[in-house]
Amino acid sequence: MFTVVQVLRRVGVQTRTLAGCLQLDPVTVDESADVVVVGFGAAGACAAIAAREHGAEVIALDRANGGGATAMSGGIIYAGAGTTIQRQAGVRDSFEQMLTYLRLEVGDAVSEATLAAFVRDSPEMIDWLIKYGVPFDSTLCPYKTSFPNNRYYLYHSGNENAGAFRCHTPPVQRGHRVKGRGTSGKKLYGPLAKSALALGVRLRPHTVVTRLVQDSSGRVTGVDAMTMNHAPPRIRRLYAETAALSAKPGIYYPPLRRLMEHRLRKLEQRYARPVRINARRAVIICAGGFIANTEWIQRFAPQYSNGLQLGTSGDDGSGIALAQSAGAVVERMDNISAWRFITPPSAFISAIIVDELGRRIIDESRYGAAVGQAMVRNHGGSGWLLADAALMREARRQMIKQPLWFQRAQSTALIYADSVKAPSLRAVALAAGIDPEGLSATVKAHNDAFDSEAPDPAGKPAEFVRPISQPPYTLLNISVRRSLLNPTPMLTLGGVRVDEDTGAVVDESGKPIPGLFSAGRTAIGICSNSYVSGLSLADCVFAGRRAGMHAAQTASG
C-alpha cells in the first residue's frame, strides 16, 4: 500500500501548495478585512489583486489548496482586438471584428455595453496578466484543433472558422494559450496567486464558508466558516495532499474523488474549527459553478448527467447557494457546456457526424461544445463520426505530431476500441446500429455537393470538405455517454445575476445586495450563453477585476 504522499508523487501531483500556503499562521481568532474573497481560482485571484490595487485590505478563502478549476484547465484566455501577442504574431484583428464574432456567441447573456467593454478592454487585459507574471507566446498554430500541442500558443479556439460565423467576420486567432507544457492552467493560476500574496492578500486555504453574515439592514458584513488552518502541520499537509488528489487525477476517476472527499470530511469533522471573518466593505463570491452537484444537475439539466465533471468537488454550487441565501436570483441554470471534440487529428474535420438515423448533425468545423450541445439537445446524445479510408490514413499520420499525450491516448482509444469498420456504407451502418438508408442518403448529398461545387449541406466551409468515397468506411462512436476512454467533459454556465457595471449581486428586483459581489462561474457572465475555449477564463479575469475594484470602492459598513 502506498501513502497519500507516495501516490501523489507517482501521478505527478505537487504536494506543496503555492507560496507556502501550508506555512501560513494558524487562524485561531476572528479576522477582519475590507474585502473577503470566497474562492481563490482565476476569478478570486483577479478580484483580490484588483481590490489591493485600489487600496483595500483583502483576505481570500479557499476550501482546498487554491486554484480551483483554473489550475486544472487548459489555460486559454480568449482575447483579441489587437493584443500584444496578436501583433507579435502578425495577426490583424480589430474591435469591430471581435465584437461581431462575440455577438454571435454571447447572445443576450450580457448587455451590448458589457460585451463592448469586454472587447475594448481585451488588449489591456492581456497586458495586465503579463504584468503579473502570466507567460504568453505568439507562435501560431497552423491547423484547426481543439487544443494545440506544446509548439503552438495562439490559435482559433472557437467557431471562427465555421461557416455560420466566417460569413459575418473573417476568422481570427484569439485563443491565447498560457505558455506551459500540457494543460497550462497552472501557469495562469500560479503567477496570479503569487502576485496576490506579494501584494499583501492574506490567503486562508482549507477553509469552507458555511454562511454569509448580514446586519439588520441586510448588508453582507462577513462570513462564517470552518477552517483547518489551526490544525497540526502534519494534518494540514495530509489535508492538502488529499485535496490535491481529489482534484486531479480524481477528476478522471470519480471513485477516487469520492474516496478522497470522504477522507477530507473525516479530517474536517475532527480538526476543523469555526471562525468568523468580518468584511468592512464587501464579500466577493468566486466559488465556481455546480457541475459537481449531481442533485442540481438532475434538477436543472438532467440530459447532461452522463458527462465528466470538469471542475473540482468545490464546484458544487455552494457559492451560488450562499448568494441565494442573501436574496440572489439565478439564471441559465439549465445551460451546460458539453464538449465533444473530434480534433486532433485535424483530418477529422473533413469527416461527417451523423446520428442513429444517419442524419448529419452539425458542421464539423464547429467548436466541440457546439457539437456536444447539438448531440445532447437534438439527437439524444448519440453521434458517430464517419470517415473513409483516405481520411483514416491521414488521421493516423497526424496522430504522430499534432496531439498532446492525453489527446493521443483518447484518439487512439476512439480509433481502435470504439469504432467499427466495413467495406461498404450499408455494412458499417448495420455494424454501428445506424439506419443504412439514412446514412447512404446523407453521404450521397455530401458527395454530390462536393462534386458540383455547391455549398455543403451542413454549412461546412469548402476548404474542409472532402468526398467520402474510398472503402473501407469507419464509424467512430462519439456519443455522449459515461466512458473512461472517451468521456464528455462538462461545465455549468448558469449562476447568480449581477449588476454588469459593478459585479454586485442583485436580488429579484434587480437591486444590488449591499456588500455582496460575485465573479467567475458562480455568476452570469460573458460565456453564460455559449462556451468556446478561453471565454470562461477571460470572463474570470474581466469580471474578477470588475468585482474587486468596485468592492474595494464600497463604503465601509
Side-chain angles (χ1 to χ4, degrees):
M1 295 293 291
F2 297 113
T3 67
V4 172
V5 174
Q6 288 172 324
V7 172
L8 285 164
R9 287 172 178 166
R10 281 176 172 257
V11 299
V13 176
Q14 293 295 319
T15 60
R16 291 177 297 172
T17 55
L18 179 69
C21 293
L22 295 177
Q23 285 73 49
L24 290 172
D25 293 335
V27 179
T28 56
V29 297
D30 292 0
E31 293 189 282
S32 296
D34 296 320
V35 174
V36 175
V37 178
V38 179
F40 201 64
C46 289
I49 290 172
R52 287 294 299 137
E53 287 177 331
H54 289 81
E57 182 184 1
V58 180
I59 291 177
L61 312 174
D62 195 272
R63 68 190 299 171
N65 302 326
T70 297
M72 300 190 301
S73 75
I76 310 298
I77 300 290
Y78 195 91
T83 69
T84 298
I85 305 305
Q86 285 180 314
R87 294 196 305 272
Q88 290 174 0
V91 172
R92 297 173 63 89
D93 196 9
S94 69
F95 169 83
E96 291 77 14
Q97 287 177 318
M98 184 178 177
L99 182 62
T100 298
Y101 170 74
L102 283 182
R103 280 195 188 111
L104 301 172
E105 296 285 10
V106 173
D108 62 352
V110 298
S111 69
E112 176 76 8
T114 297
L115 183 59
F118 173 77
V119 174
R120 188 179 303 109
D121 294 346
S122 186
E124 188 272 335
M125 175 178 66
I126 292 296
D127 292 340
W128 187 84
L129 290 170
I130 292 172
K131 170 185 173 183
Y132 285 112
V134 178
F136 291 99
D137 188 288
S138 59
T139 308
L140 283 170
C141 186
Y143 51 85
K144 174 70 174 173
T145 185
S146 61
F147 188 82
N149 62 34
N150 293 324
R151 293 189 294 273
Y152 306 116
Y153 290 92
L154 184 62
Y155 74 117
H156 292 108
S157 66
N159 289 296
E160 301 89 354
N161 300 87
F165 294 82
R166 65 165 60 188
C167 65
H168 293 276
T169 184
V172 174
Q173 298 93 334
R174 300 191 184 99
H176 291 61
R177 179 185 167 201
V178 175
K179 189 169 186 179
R181 297 185 64 81
T183 52
S184 44
K186 55 188 175 295
K187 296 295 185 179
L188 169 64
Y189 170 70
L192 288 175
K194 184 177 180 180
S195 295
L197 296 179
L199 288 171
V201 173
R202 288 182 278 157
L203 175 61
R204 300 295 184 244
H206 314 154
T207 302
V208 179
V209 175
T210 57
R211 188 175 75 93
L212 293 178
V213 179
Q214 295 176 274
D215 64 16
S216 58
S217 71
R219 178 187 181 87
V220 175
T221 60
V223 300
D224 284 338
M226 297 295 292
T227 184
M228 294 286 293
N229 278 320
H230 69 284
R234 176 182 62 85
I235 299 301
R236 295 177 66 194
R237 285 193 295 271
L238 177 61
Y239 190 94
E241 292 158 359
T242 306
L245 191 56
S246 170
K248 195 174 183 179
I251 185 175
Y252 300 110
Y253 188 55
L256 175 63
R257 171 169 285 183
R258 288 192 292 269
L259 175 61
M260 294 301 101
E261 287 299 309
H262 176 73
R263 291 182 178 180
L264 289 172
R265 301 296 85 80
K266 287 290 188 181
L267 290 171
E268 290 167 357
Q269 290 170 10
R270 182 171 180 181
Y271 294 102
R273 299 267 182 96
V275 63
R276 173 165 292 186
I277 302 176
N278 298 319
R280 292 185 288 269
R281 299 182 186 177
V283 170
I284 309 175
I285 302 178
C286 306
F290 62 94
I291 194 62
N293 190 325
T294 54
E295 180 183 341
W296 281 20
I297 296 298
Q298 283 295 323
R299 183 194 311 175
F300 296 113
Q303 67 272 40
Y304 291 93
S305 60
N306 289 327
L308 176 73
Q309 297 175 354
L310 195 63
T312 71
S313 55
D315 288 292
D316 60 358
S318 55
I320 295 172
L322 282 172
Q324 286 181 295
S325 72
V329 292
V330 295
E331 289 182 352
R332 302 175 187 262
M333 297 291 279
D334 61 343
N335 197 10
I336 308 293
S337 182
W339 302 356
R340 179 45 79 208
F341 294 118
I342 62 173
T343 62
S346 59
F348 280 160
I349 297 176
S350 296
I352 62 173
I353 301 174
V354 298
D355 66 7
E356 60 188 6
L357 298 178
R359 301 173 299 184
R360 191 89 170 268
I361 289 179
I362 195 171
D363 166 5
E364 292 78 15
S365 66
R366 291 288 298 274
Y367 178 70
V371 175
Q373 182 184 70
M375 289 169 59
V376 172
R377 293 188 177 181
N378 305 322
H379 300 270
S382 66
W384 286 263
L385 189 68
L386 175 67
D388 68 1
L391 275 177
M392 291 304 297
R393 285 194 298 270
E394 184 175 353
R396 289 188 177 95
R397 288 195 299 269
Q398 292 171 347
M399 290 281 287
I400 299 172
K401 292 185 178 181
Q402 285 189 3
L404 291 169
W405 72 267
F406 66 90
Q407 295 171 315
R408 183 176 294 111
Q410 289 183 341
S411 297
T412 300
L414 177 64
I415 291 172
Y416 293 102
D418 214 358
S419 66
V420 293
K421 184 168 67 172
S424 69
L425 287 174
R426 179 176 182 80
V428 79
L430 291 173
I434 294 175
D435 177 56
E437 283 74 26
L439 182 64
S440 295
T442 295
V443 172
K444 184 178 185 304
H446 172 270
N447 289 344
D448 287 350
F450 176 84
D451 292 338
S452 64
E453 298 184 356
D456 177 72
K460 182 158 58 179
E463 69 191 75
F464 298 122
V465 179
R466 302 255 297 273
I468 299 175
S469 58
Q470 296 184 25
Y473 300 96
T474 301
L475 277 168
L476 303 104
N477 192 344
I478 59 170
S479 299
V480 175
R481 65 200 195 286
R482 297 186 189 278
S483 171
L484 287 176
L485 294 176
N486 193 23
T488 305
M490 296 185 183
L491 77 160
T492 58
L493 302 180
V496 300
R497 191 191 306 161
V498 296
D499 181 285
E500 294 182 23
D501 291 328
T502 64
V505 177
V506 299
D507 61 19
E508 191 169 4
S509 69
K511 182 179 178 182
I513 298 170
L516 187 62
F517 295 77
S518 186
R521 296 289 56 78
T522 304
I524 294 294
I526 299 294
C527 72
S528 291
N529 177 62
S530 177
Y531 178 88
V532 299
S533 282
L535 202 55
S536 179
L537 288 178
D539 181 52
C540 286
V541 179
F542 172 77
R545 294 176 67 192
R546 177 182 65 188
M549 177 181 70
H550 288 281
Q553 294 173 344
T554 299
S556 299

